[in-house]
């Protein structure tokens, strides 16, 4: 097997890994690093459950080969907050009932974080745009958009 | 055993793909990893061009040049392009959602050769030329596509970028895309229109449609019919009928051929009127 050395900085911590050429970033995160917060929904870019922030950009981790990411910084939902100190977005998702089954939540949170990192005071339309690459099958999008708006106010 | 190679220069890339023609070029991966999802384990190899700095430039000016590795997100948000070539930004902004626009590239969009590729109609009406390396070749984008998923590229060629002339001040533009929802929808039909207006006359125009023929296609007979007409007496109904006669849509999961033919007419009419309205009007910087 053609194993490749790859260095990833995930949530601020450096990992030296060996990966297969066809290994997706999603698989490296979930199977090698056991960071299972990032979910696989569709595997083909449609659902956004696998969204992470790669070098500051929101991406679907099922659409990226880990080999393409040597030296890159990756932010996953595990890096947002801790059980005792939630990120304002996480708290807002709870406060606004923006979670039902929770499968889309990591992707929604990362999409929202990527949006607020670039645009701390987004309009309703910009929030919808920012979240448009993540599908939710149960909550409905209103609570989620409201939570993001509230978190933006909170962070100001 | 799948191999992976990331060249650091274009000449290295050209040499590698010449020697390893079974390796697949990967840019943003947003088409490749979908198509190859089932075969990820059996792929021979990847040549990753996503780190090739040479392919990431946007050159502005009278002649505009955009590298193959420029992403949809970069095009959609580029301040100079937004001011001078908003038509192309509109096309890029219509692609997928933020995740797809952050990874998906111009080169991948063209090489993948989907009849629905959102950059193709805007670039074709802009008169863009595709630039290929190894062997080097320049080809009008209009002649680049040869069928759904097919191009005139040889297996050892790489798209390095596109170039086109900056639209003149009297030109107006529109890109309209019909899809099932606003985000993440592949076009059921799309249309780009570029017009030139002088003294109340439509002196020139180009129309290109996506998703209504095997490749993104100019509606040349419709262009001919409208060229030279006065704005106050445009034969819109005749033009719409000509356009509907000129396209060759198919049935697929996104819509039937009949629906596409019906929808393409008014979509085109709206795009034409919008383009005329935009002509000569300097968009806000
Ligand atoms: C959920 C989802 C939604 C999408 N929505 C849209 C949409 O609305 N509109 C749209 O147009 N597209 C859409 N796409 C398709 C895709 O994102 C775009 O076509 C994108 O531009 C492809 O670029 P890429 O860099 O990701 O290509 P890749 O997947 O890396 O490559 C695609 C193909 O092109 C070849 N290739 C790539 N670069 C080059 C090059 N420089 N020279 C030669 N060959 C090359 C590859 O070998 C491969 O065969 C969508 C995809 C997904 C998954
Ligand atoms: S699992 Fe990546 S987008 Fe659905
Ligand atoms: S909460 Fe179930 S998919 Fe969104």
């Amino acid at each position: 097997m053609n194993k490749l050395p790859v260095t990833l900085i995930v949530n601020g911590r450096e990992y030296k890994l060996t990966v297969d050429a066809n290994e997706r970033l999603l698989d490296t995160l979930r199977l090698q690093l056991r960071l299972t917060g990032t979910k696989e929904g569709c595997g083909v870019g449609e659902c956004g459950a696998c969204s992470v922030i790669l070098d500051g950009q929101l991406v679907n981790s099922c659409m990226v080969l880990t080999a393409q990411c040597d030296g890159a910084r990756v932010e996953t939902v595990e890096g947002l907050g801790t059980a005792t100190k939630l990120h304002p977005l996480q708290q807002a998702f709870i406060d606004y009932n923006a979670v039902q089954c929770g499968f889309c939540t990591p992707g929604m949170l990362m999409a929202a974080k990527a949006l607020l990192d670039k645009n701390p005071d987004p309009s309703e339309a910009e929030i919808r745009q920012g979240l448009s690459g993540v599908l939710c099958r149960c909550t409905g999008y209103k609570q989620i958009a409201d939570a993001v708006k509230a978190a933006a106010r909170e962070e100001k | 055993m799948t191999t992976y190679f990331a060249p650091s220069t274009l000449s290295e890339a050209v040499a590698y793909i010449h020697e390893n023609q079974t390796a697949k070029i990967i840019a943003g991966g947003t088409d490749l990893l979908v198509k190859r999802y089932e075969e990820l384990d059996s792929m021979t190899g990847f040549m990753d061009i996503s780190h090739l700095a040479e392919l990431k430039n946007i050159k502005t000016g009278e002649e505009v040049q955009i590298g193959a590795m420029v992403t949809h997100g970069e095009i959609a948000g580029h301040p100079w392009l937004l001011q001078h070539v908003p038509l192309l930004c509109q096309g890029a902004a219509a692609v997928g959602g933020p995740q797809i626009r952050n990874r998906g590239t111009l080169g991948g969009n063209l090489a993948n050769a989907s009849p629905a590729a959102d950059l193709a109609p805007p670039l074709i009406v802009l008169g863009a030329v595709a630039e290929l390396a190894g062997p080097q070749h320049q080809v009008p984008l209009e002649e680049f596509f040869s069928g759904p998923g097919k191009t005139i590229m040889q297996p050892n060629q790489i798209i390095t970028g596109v170039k086109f002339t900056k639209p003149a001040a009297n030109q107006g533009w529109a890109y309209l895309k019909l899809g099932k929802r606003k985000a993440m929808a592949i076009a059921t039909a799309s249309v780009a229109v570029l017009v030139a207006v002088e003294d109340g006359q439509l002196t020139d125009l180009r129309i290109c449609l996506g998703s209504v023929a095997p490749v993104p296609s100019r509606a040349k007979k419709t262009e001919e019919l409208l060229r030279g007409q006065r704005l106050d007496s445009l034969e819109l109904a005749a033009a719409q009928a000509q356009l509907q006669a000129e396209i060759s849509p198919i049935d697929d999961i996104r819509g039937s051929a009949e629906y596409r033919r019906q929808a393409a007419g008014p979509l085109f009419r709206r795009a034409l009127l919008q383009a005329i309205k935009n002509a000569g009007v300097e968009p806000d910087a």
Side-chain angles (χ1 to χ4, degrees), chain A residues 98-105 108 134-141 144:
Chain A
V99 180
Q100 275 194 36
C101 81
F103 199 82
C104 70
T105 310
M108 286 290 184
V134 191
L135 291 177
C136 176
R137 300 304 300 273
C138 23
T139 306
Y141 299 98
I144 297 173

Side-chain angles (χ1 to χ4, degrees), chain A residues 1-2 4 20-22 24 27 40 42-48 51 54 57-60 62-65 67-70 107 111 118 129-135 141, chain B residues 1-4 6 26-35 37 39-43 46 48-51 71 74 93 96-103 181 183-184 186:
Chain A
M1 192 46 110
N2 185 2
L4 305 154
D20 292 327
N22 55 7
R24 303 170 307 168
D27 300 320
E40 175 159 20
C42 63
V44 291
E46 296 280 348
C47 74
S51 298
L54 176 67
Q57 302 262 30
L58 186 70
V59 305
N60 293 319
C62 71
M63 302 262 85
V64 183
L65 297 176
Q68 296 185 283
C69 306
D70 192 21
K118 289 198 176 124
Q129 259 288 338
L131 300 179
S132 63
V134 191
L135 291 177
Y141 299 98
Chain B
M1 300 305 99
T2 318
T3 58
Y4 171 88
I26 183 164
T30 61
D31 270 318
L32 190 66
L33 295 187
V34 173
K35 277 204 194 142
Y37 181 60
E39 326 158 25
L40 255 186
D41 291 332
S42 57
M43 287 198 61
F46 296 100
D48 176 12
I49 58 169
S50 65
H51 300 289
T71 65
E74 286 161 353
Q99 290 89 330
I100 300 296
R101 289 193 293 276
N102 285 339
R103 289 298 288 178
R181 53 187 280 243
M184 304 293 289
I186 304 294

Side-chain angles (χ1 to χ4, degrees), chain B residues 84-162:
Chain B
H84 298 283
V85 202
L87 167 60
L88 186 61
C89 304
Q90 191 95 357
V95 173
Q99 290 89 330
I100 300 296
R101 289 193 293 276
N102 285 339
R103 289 298 288 178
T105 64
L106 173 129
N109 197 243
L110 301 181
N112 190 57
S114 160
D118 275 308
L119 293 187
L123 283 171
I124 286 175
V125 298
L126 286 164
V129 168
E131 304 177 296
L132 311 178
Q136 270 198 14
H137 187 47
Q138 301 210 340
V139 54
L141 192 59
E142 220 182 310
E143 295 159 26
F144 177 74
F145 304 107
S146 50
K150 294 205 182 78
T151 73
I152 53 109
M153 261 196 302
Q154 295 163 26
N156 57 350
Q157 279 183 314
I158 301 173
I159 305 178
T160 55
V162 293

Side-chain angles (χ1 to χ4, degrees), chain A:
Chain A
M1 192 46 110
N2 185 2
K3 288 276 189 185
L4 305 154
V6 169
T7 303
L8 285 185
I9 300 143
V10 182
N11 301 326
R13 196 173 138 194
E14 186 177 289
Y15 296 88
K16 294 207 178 296
L17 305 164
T18 47
V19 303
D20 292 327
N22 55 7
E23 187 168 320
R24 303 170 307 168
L25 180 59
L26 173 65
D27 300 320
T28 307
L29 292 172
R30 289 183 57 86
L31 305 177
Q32 287 216 46
L33 303 184
R34 295 283 161 192
L35 293 172
T36 53
T38 304
K39 304 300 180 203
E40 175 159 20
C42 63
V44 291
E46 296 280 348
C47 74
C50 66
S51 298
V52 300
I53 299 177
L54 176 67
D55 284 333
Q57 302 262 30
L58 186 70
V59 305
N60 293 319
S61 60
C62 71
M63 302 262 85
V64 183
L65 297 176
T66 310
Q68 296 185 283
C69 306
D70 192 21
R73 293 181 169 274
V74 184
E75 296 168 59
T76 71
V77 71
E78 286 87 350
L80 274 188
T82 63
T84 48
K85 192 170 184 309
L86 293 177
H87 186 277
L89 276 166
Q90 291 170 316
Q91 189 58 52
F93 269 54
I94 296 172
D95 296 343
Y96 284 79
N97 296 312
V99 180
Q100 275 194 36
C101 81
F103 199 82
C104 70
T105 310
M108 286 290 184
L109 285 168
M110 297 319 286
K113 170 146 199 303
L115 172 69
L116 297 187
D117 284 351
K118 289 198 176 124
N119 178 0
D121 190 18
S123 66
E124 174 79 24
E126 288 167 334
I127 292 175
R128 284 166 180 256
Q129 259 288 338
L131 300 179
S132 63
V134 191
L135 291 177
C136 176
R137 300 304 300 273
C138 23
T139 306
Y141 299 98
K142 181 162 186 346
Q143 291 94 314
I144 297 173
D146 288 348
V148 175
K149 201 178 293 165
R153 274 198 306 269
E154 174 76 14
E155 283 189 52
K156 254 195 269 175

